[in-house]
Amino acid sequence: QVQLVESGGGSVQAGGSLRLSCAASGYSTSSWRCMAWFRRAPGKEREGVATIWTGGSSTYYADSVKGRFTISQDNDKNTVYLQLSSLKPEDTAMYYCAASGPRLDGCLFGSPEYRYWGQGTQVTVSS
């Protein structure tokens, strides 16, 4: 069973930074897949933030975070990171890590299906 555990959330002032981590377990690292970060703000729908393909360096970002957030991975540690910089109050949300099944490439928010989800980590940005 694939398990994802997020950490690193917290409260910061606008302009600050945080680094979120997503530790994955329960699947073979020999099978490449998409890893993604999503977020859900109070009263809003869940939205995709960033994706990365574990077989290479291909990444994809929501327009709202381009140039401010960076997704990266350490395959030796089975961990995906999301560096949040220049944070804004509108970045306040619960952030979730998600993983797809085996995938050769093409990691978007709506495709592939993200089968596995973490419990989330809260990010709160004050003005």
Side-chain angles (χ1 to χ4, degrees):
Q1 180 70 17
V2 175
Q3 289 189 325
L4 304 174
V5 179
E6 303 100 330
S7 61
S11 297
V12 297
Q13 290 190 326
S17 299
L18 285 171
R19 189 177 80 157
L20 308 183
S21 299
C22 172
S25 62
Y27 61 76
S28 169
T29 56
S30 65
S31 60
W32 298 325
R33 62 189 68 230
C34 295
M35 300 293 293
W37 288 94
F38 290 81
R39 66 186 182 186
R40 187 192 297 270
K44 295 188 177 181
E45 293 187 353
R46 185 180 68 199
E47 63 173 345
V49 176
T51 73
I52 190 166
W53 181 55
T54 63
S57 59
S58 177
T59 58
Y60 180 76
Y61 294 94
D63 288 343
S64 59
V65 306
K66 280 181 183 176
R68 300 189 299 120
F69 292 6
T70 303
I71 190 170
S72 62
Q73 61 186 338
D74 184 335
N75 284 342
D76 291 338
K77 296 181 179 179
N78 275 1
T79 300
V80 173
Y81 303 97
L82 185 68
Q83 178 69 44
L84 290 65
S85 302
S86 301
L87 282 161
K88 305 175 181 179
E90 52 263 43
D91 295 317
T92 294
M94 185 72 79
Y95 284 71
Y96 298 91
C97 176
S100 73
R103 180 80 172 183
L104 293 181
D105 62 7
C107 300
L108 303 178
F109 299 132
S111 174
E113 177 190 5
Y114 290 93
R115 302 178 184 175
Y116 312 104
W117 294 81
Q119 81 290 349
T121 187
Q122 178 68 38
V123 171
T124 302
V125 185
S126 58
S127 58

